[in-house]
């Protein structure tokens, strides 16, 4: 746990002192006594040594104590600093909070203190957007839970459920929803027995959010229903519960294209929210706007959210921003900009990879789309919604290459289309794909498909023209030869032959000039398809 910027000696706790993790009344009494002294160092030390019972049972008093401390004192107590109301706001600027702990300081700490220091580091780096570092501390905390015995963790009023909740939140912020669900499930199970009254509800909100991100909407809905029947959370967890539950509900409503989607979206935090859920709220908003054919509004939403938060490559936030940007740019016809976003995306997440495959299909780059979709088929991170989108894109690829769908593929798309959970995804199905599926259906099945898919198909498939070898040769020659006579001389044919091939080439590329033909051929990756003599 060494760092280049160790905590100062004033933060060391004598070995005789040990953290109080289980006695809320004692914690309250000690903090009130220290507040009366007016000694900031005494207040900070008392709050640190009683951090868990104060946070769980006396959150308002703890916040009052923390905000009363001068910065010079607060900087030496990272557990308090991370709980200061200003810390999430400042984390979005160059004043982000990234505590490091020296080896010497670590040696003087009890196992309980080390747990909370690692937890503090994980949360602080997550707030600053540095998910790779936050994941490192999450792994360290996981290892401590598995291999280091801390008696207070085994108590019903202990912090174990909260440790699992925060590890899961870090995994979810990094885009690993499947592993996050395991941590949230553990937090929920522990929360059932915890003496903290809102432990289970807090965990249920995060369970619902993780399921909604994956597209397991039934599971998300059941978690929300269970949570809604429980008492309202205390002030320590009120925002976490409210934002997790409202964001999960928004993702469900958007995916189902529910009638109440506007009302549900109105409950989301603003774009510049400092809450953990901001990238998930952005996902709900942009999906709603794109399904309504409002890509310019989606781009504005992305700009507002990205401009007020630190976004690191490899985070879920980066995955949402790049994938939503590509979808919006495709919808506005700005394919060159969409390609630049794809090229600049680092450590691409599942959403971005799906958007890349969709962009390749829009450009009729079938080999590239096949490569992306092939890799995605092996990705265990795909949830139900991502697998449904993958199936739609795979069918698009099949139609583009073979100019028809197998009955098996058509029936698979029909099953996806009529599912309530997949309504939003119908907007990405090209008109030609919808028509091809429709041709395989009869009777009530055909009518049900028409009802849900007929009005959603807005995309047109781009087909790559079939060029003869002579046309391909002339097309490549346009880049280096400025006249028909020069091309004819190069290939030892008559100028009339070249003119005839050019007319056919322009007709197939739907263009009328040399420069336009080169631009279209570049986009379709037709250049270089034949050698020039």
């Amino acid at each position: 746990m060494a760092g280049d910027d160790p905590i100062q000696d004033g933060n060391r706790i004598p070995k005789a002192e040990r953290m109080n993790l289980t006695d809320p009344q004692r914690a309250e009494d000690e903090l009130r006594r220290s507040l009366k002294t007016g000694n900031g160092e005494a207040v900070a030390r008392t709050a640190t040594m009683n951090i868990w019972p104060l946070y769980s049972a006396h959150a308002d008093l703890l916040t009052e104590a923390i905000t009363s401390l001068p910065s010079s004192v607060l900087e030496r107590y990272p557990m308090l600093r991370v709980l200061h109301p200003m810390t999430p706001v400042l984390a979005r600027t160059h004043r982000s909070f990234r505590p490091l702990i020296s080896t010497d300081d670590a040696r003087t700490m009890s196992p309980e203190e080390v747990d909370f220091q690692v937890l503090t580091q994980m949360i602080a780096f997550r707030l600053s957007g540095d998910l790779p570092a936050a994941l490192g501390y999450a792994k360290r905390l996981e290892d401590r839970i598995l291999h280091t015995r801390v008696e207070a963790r085994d108590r019903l009023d202990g912090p174990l459920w909260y440790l699992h909740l925060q590890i899961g939140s870090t995994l979810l912020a990094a885009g690993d929803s499947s592993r996050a669900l395991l941590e949230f499930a553990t937090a929920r199970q522990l929360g059932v027995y915890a003496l903290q009254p809102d432990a289970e509800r807090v965990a249920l909100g995060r369970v619902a959010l993780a399921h909604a991100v994956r597209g397991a909407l039934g599971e998300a809905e059941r978690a929300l229903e269970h949570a809604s029947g429980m008492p309202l959370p205390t002030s320590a967890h009120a925002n976490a519960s409210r934002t997790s539950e409202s964001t999960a509900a928004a993702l469900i409503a958007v995916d189902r294209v529910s009638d109440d989607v506007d009302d549900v979206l109105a409950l989301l935090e603003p774009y510049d929210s400092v809450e953990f859920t901001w990238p998930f709220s952005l996902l709900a908003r942009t999906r709603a706007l794109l399904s309504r054919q409002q890509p310019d509004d989606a781009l504005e939403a992305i700009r507002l959210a990205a401009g007020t938060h630190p976004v690191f490559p490899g985070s879920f936030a980066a995955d949402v921003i790049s994938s939503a940007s590509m979808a919006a740019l495709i919808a506005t016809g700005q394919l060159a900009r969409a390609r630049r976003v794809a090229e600049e995306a680092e450590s691409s997440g599942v959403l971005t990879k799906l958007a890349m495959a969709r962009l390749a299909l829009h450009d009729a780059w079938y080999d590239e789309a096949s490569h992306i979709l092939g890799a995605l088929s092996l990705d265990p991170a795909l949830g139900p919604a991502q697998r449904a989108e993958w199936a739609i894109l795979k069918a698009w690829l099949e139609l583009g290459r073979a100019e028809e769908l197998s009955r098996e593929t058509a029936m698979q798309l029909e099953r996806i289309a009529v599912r309530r959970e997949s309504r939003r995804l119908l907007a990405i199905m090209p008109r030609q794909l919808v028509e091809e599926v429709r041709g395989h259906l009869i009777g009530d099945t055909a009518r049900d498909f028409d009802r849900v898919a007929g009005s959603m198909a807005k995309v047109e498939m781009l087909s790559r023209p079939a060029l003869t070898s002579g046309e391909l040769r002339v097309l490549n020659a346009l880049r280096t030869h400025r006249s028909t006579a020069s091309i004819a001389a190069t290939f030892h044919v008559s100028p009339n032959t070249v003119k005839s091939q050019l007319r056919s080439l322009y007709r197939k590329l739907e263009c009328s000039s040399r420069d336009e033909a080169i631009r279209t051929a570049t986009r379709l990756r037709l250049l270089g398809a034949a050698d020039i003599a």
Side-chain angles (χ1 to χ4, degrees):
M1 296 179 66
D4 297 329
D5 184 21
I7 296 173
Q8 299 179 26
D9 289 349
N11 192 37
R12 291 182 183 167
I13 307 298
K15 289 184 179 181
E17 278 190 71
R18 285 295 179 263
M19 294 185 83
N20 165 32
L21 297 181
T22 59
D23 191 338
Q25 187 59 57
R26 175 188 139 195
E28 180 187 14
D29 292 343
E30 290 184 359
L31 184 57
R32 289 192 184 279
R33 282 197 297 270
S34 66
L35 283 169
K36 288 179 180 178
T37 69
N39 184 322
E41 189 71 29
V43 171
R45 187 179 298 277
T46 301
T48 298
M49 298 308 291
N50 294 278
I51 191 72
W52 178 244
L54 287 173
Y55 180 74
S56 300
H58 306 289
D60 293 336
L61 178 63
L62 177 61
T63 300
E64 177 188 339
I66 291 172
T67 54
S68 73
L69 296 173
S71 296
S72 58
V73 173
L74 194 60
E75 290 298 325
R76 299 198 299 274
Y77 293 86
M79 276 187 273
L80 305 184
R81 171 69 188 278
V82 81
L83 291 173
H84 194 288
M86 288 293 291
T87 296
V89 178
L90 297 178
R92 302 184 303 180
T93 71
H94 64 283
R95 297 176 63 186
S96 58
F97 175 51
R98 302 180 181 186
L100 299 173
I101 301 172
S102 72
T103 302
D104 287 342
D105 284 327
R107 289 196 187 102
T108 68
M109 294 178 185
S110 67
E112 293 87 352
E113 291 172 76
V114 176
D115 274 1
F116 275 88
Q117 292 289 0
V118 177
L119 174 68
T120 296
Q121 291 172 304
M122 179 181 69
I123 294 173
F125 279 87
R126 192 176 75 212
L127 284 174
S128 70
D130 190 347
L131 267 299
L135 285 171
Y137 287 112
K139 178 64 168 60
R140 187 174 298 180
L141 190 54
E142 283 183 292
D143 290 343
R144 288 189 57 76
I145 292 172
L146 287 173
H147 304 299
T148 304
R149 178 72 182 273
V150 176
E151 184 178 351
R153 290 203 214 112
D154 298 333
R155 294 175 58 105
L156 296 182
D157 52 357
L160 185 56
W161 73 269
Y162 189 72
L163 302 184
H164 283 286
L165 180 83
Q166 292 298 336
I167 291 171
S169 297
T170 299
L171 291 168
L172 188 58
D176 193 343
S177 57
S178 56
R179 285 181 60 205
L181 274 171
L182 293 176
E183 295 294 332
F184 294 148
T186 302
R188 179 194 174 184
Q189 291 158 2
L190 292 169
V192 171
Y193 303 105
L195 297 184
Q196 287 81 24
D198 46 7
E200 186 181 5
R201 178 159 187 169
V202 176
L204 277 168
R206 292 286 160 90
V207 168
L209 181 59
H211 277 307
V213 168
R214 293 175 59 77
L217 305 189
E219 294 294 335
E221 197 167 46
R222 281 187 283 275
L224 288 179
E225 288 174 355
H226 193 163
S228 67
M230 305 182 75
L232 291 175
T234 59
S235 59
H237 303 116
N239 281 342
S241 290
R242 177 177 53 81
T243 56
S244 294
E245 291 172 22
S246 63
T247 306
L251 287 167
I252 293 170
V254 168
D255 270 6
R256 289 177 172 171
V257 195
S258 303
D259 293 337
D260 64 344
V261 67
D262 288 327
D263 295 333
V264 177
L265 290 172
L267 299 176
L268 295 177
E269 293 292 293
Y271 290 110
D272 60 352
S273 168
V274 297
E275 296 297 331
F276 163 83
T277 50
W278 78 263
F280 307 95
S281 295
L282 178 62
L283 179 64
R285 285 189 169 104
T286 53
R287 281 179 169 177
L289 291 167
L290 289 168
S291 67
R292 293 172 173 175
Q293 311 300 317
Q294 296 176 283
D296 290 323
D297 291 337
L299 288 170
E300 177 65 5
I302 294 164
R303 186 189 68 79
L304 290 171
T308 53
H309 296 93
V311 179
F312 276 59
S315 65
F316 184 75
D319 197 21
V320 171
I321 289 169
S322 59
S323 61
S325 297
M326 291 170 65
L329 291 169
I330 290 170
T332 57
Q334 301 178 73
L335 299 184
R337 283 186 61 192
R339 290 186 210 104
R340 285 197 296 273
V341 172
E343 291 165 1
E344 293 168 1
E346 300 179 42
S347 305
S348 303
V350 166
L351 302 180
T352 299
K353 290 173 183 175
L354 287 166
M356 288 176 173
R358 186 174 164 193
L359 176 61
L361 290 167
H362 268 276
D363 282 330
W365 296 352
Y366 297 133
D367 289 344
E368 181 171 330
S370 178
H371 174 74
I372 297 170
L373 292 173
L376 276 170
S377 68
L378 304 175
D379 194 333
L382 265 65
Q386 291 86 46
R387 291 201 175 278
E389 184 171 351
W390 179 90
I392 291 172
L393 297 178
K394 186 72 171 177
W396 185 342
L397 174 64
E398 181 181 328
L399 182 59
R401 278 181 159 171
E403 299 186 353
E404 62 179 1
L405 287 184
S406 68
R407 177 169 175 76
E408 180 183 359
T409 300
M411 298 309 296
Q412 181 185 24
L413 290 197
E414 185 274 334
R415 289 191 294 272
I416 291 173
V418 298
R419 290 180 66 242
R420 186 183 175 199
E421 276 73 3
S422 303
R423 296 294 163 80
R424 175 187 59 84
L425 292 177
L426 300 183
I428 72 171
M429 290 180 65
R431 175 186 55 80
Q432 295 92 330
L433 185 58
V434 171
E435 293 174 353
E436 181 71 15
V437 173
R438 177 65 177 78
H440 285 271
L441 308 177
I442 59 173
D444 291 342
T445 302
R447 284 189 288 275
D448 289 342
F449 181 79
D450 284 342
R451 177 175 52 80
V452 297
S455 62
M456 296 289 288
K458 306 291 184 183
V459 179
E460 291 287 333
M461 284 180 61
L462 177 67
S463 59
R464 298 180 72 185
L467 303 182
T468 67
S469 59
E471 290 164 350
L472 283 171
R473 195 168 59 169
V474 169
L475 173 62
N476 280 278
L478 290 178
R479 294 179 295 177
T480 54
H481 296 265
R482 300 305 301 174
S483 69
T484 301
S486 175
I487 296 174
T490 299
F491 298 132
H492 308 294
V493 297
S494 72
N496 285 337
T497 298
V498 173
K499 289 178 182 178
S500 175
Q501 290 173 331
L502 277 174
R503 284 194 298 271
S504 176
L505 182 63
Y506 288 170
R507 175 178 54 79
K508 290 180 179 181
L509 296 181
E510 298 181 353
C511 60
S512 57
S513 69
R514 173 192 303 265
D515 290 341
E516 192 178 354
I518 292 174
R519 285 196 299 271
T520 302
T522 300
R523 180 164 58 85
L524 295 174
R525 292 190 176 183
L526 293 170
L527 294 172
D531 293 331
I532 301 176

